[in-house]
Amino acid sequence: MNDNILIMKHVSFAISLNCNLRCKLCGAYAPYYSNNKFPDIVIIKERLHNFFKLVDYVEWLSISGGEPLLYHKLPQVLSELQHYFNKIGKLEIVTNGTIVPSNDLLNTVVSFKKVNFYFFVDNYGKKISTKIDEISAKLKEFQIPFKVRDYYSENKHCGGWVDYSLLKE
């Protein structure tokens, strides 16, 4: 066995900190940032290249944010990741249930052959995650696996959702 191999269990790659919600469980602390810009695709490609020069294998890679579906170049990011599919076990996109994925993005996902890909769609209730039904229907239409995580009912995930914008700054 080679001792110089670096295998990571779970890595989250935040596309940007731009988000249209202010979730209490935001792992990227997006509610606390303002004036975020989306990184140029060249910078993202460089970051991925540098990451995979160091890391031999990632068992589970999450594309997150902020809200990754706000980034209009997300299909290009996923296309770039295809160069590293032999180094990725599972690939997921984590979204907040407010934006329906574009056909361009979903066609890119469907073109994947070597990676276990799926969406995590967070559901904060019908008043907030207004697109859950549309997103679910579209993912089913494209035969893309997904899971909806419940943040609003009696069985809410991780204690539920709090809108930080309601708190005094």
Side-chain angles (χ1 to χ4, degrees):
M1 181 177 202
N2 187 344
D3 291 334
N4 295 322
I5 293 176
L6 178 57
I7 297 173
M8 301 191 74
K9 292 280 185 191
H10 189 180
V11 173
S12 184
F13 183 75
I15 293 297
S16 85
L17 294 175
N18 287 301
C19 192
N20 53 349
L21 296 180
R22 296 173 61 86
C23 302
K24 80 172 183 179
L25 298 172
C26 181
Y29 301 102
Y32 302 104
Y33 296 98
S34 60
N35 300 325
N36 295 314
K37 295 180 181 176
F38 290 106
D40 187 273
I41 190 68
V42 173
I43 291 170
I44 290 176
K45 287 179 179 183
E46 182 180 304
R47 288 177 183 165
L48 289 171
H49 176 72
N50 289 335
F51 177 81
F52 283 109
K53 274 184 5 184
L54 298 171
V55 176
D56 295 292
Y57 191 77
V58 177
E59 291 179 13
W60 181 3
L61 179 63
S62 298
I63 304 296
S64 61
E67 171 51 54
L69 297 185
L70 288 172
Y71 188 45
H72 67 280
K73 293 187 178 178
L74 187 54
Q76 290 173 269
V77 173
L78 294 179
S79 292
E80 181 66 19
L81 278 171
Q82 288 188 22
H83 298 181
Y84 307 103
F85 276 180
N86 62 328
K87 295 183 168 210
I88 301 170
K90 291 190 282 189
L91 177 63
E92 72 180 5
I93 293 177
V94 180
T95 181
N96 64 24
T98 63
I99 300 170
V100 178
S102 70
N103 285 351
D104 187 27
L105 174 64
L106 297 178
N107 282 323
T108 302
V109 170
V110 168
S111 73
F112 295 170
K113 303 291 184 215
K114 297 180 181 178
V115 161
N116 180 7
F117 186 97
Y118 59 96
F119 273 79
F120 264 129
V121 184
D122 292 334
N123 186 355
Y124 304 111
K126 292 186 184 285
K127 290 182 181 178
I128 298 166
S129 298
T130 58
K131 305 288 185 181
I132 293 292
D133 293 338
E134 291 175 67
I135 294 168
S136 298
K138 195 133 187 189
L139 293 172
K140 286 177 186 174
E141 173 188 340
F142 280 78
Q143 299 179 347
I144 297 171
F146 68 97
K147 179 178 182 177
V148 176
R149 291 189 290 198
D150 176 7
Y151 282 91
Y152 72 96
S153 74
E154 291 177 15
N155 300 321
K156 52 190 158 207
H157 180 69
C158 292
W161 179 79
V162 172
D163 183 351
Y164 277 140
S165 67
L166 299 176
L167 302 176
K168 291 183 180 181
E169 306 265 332

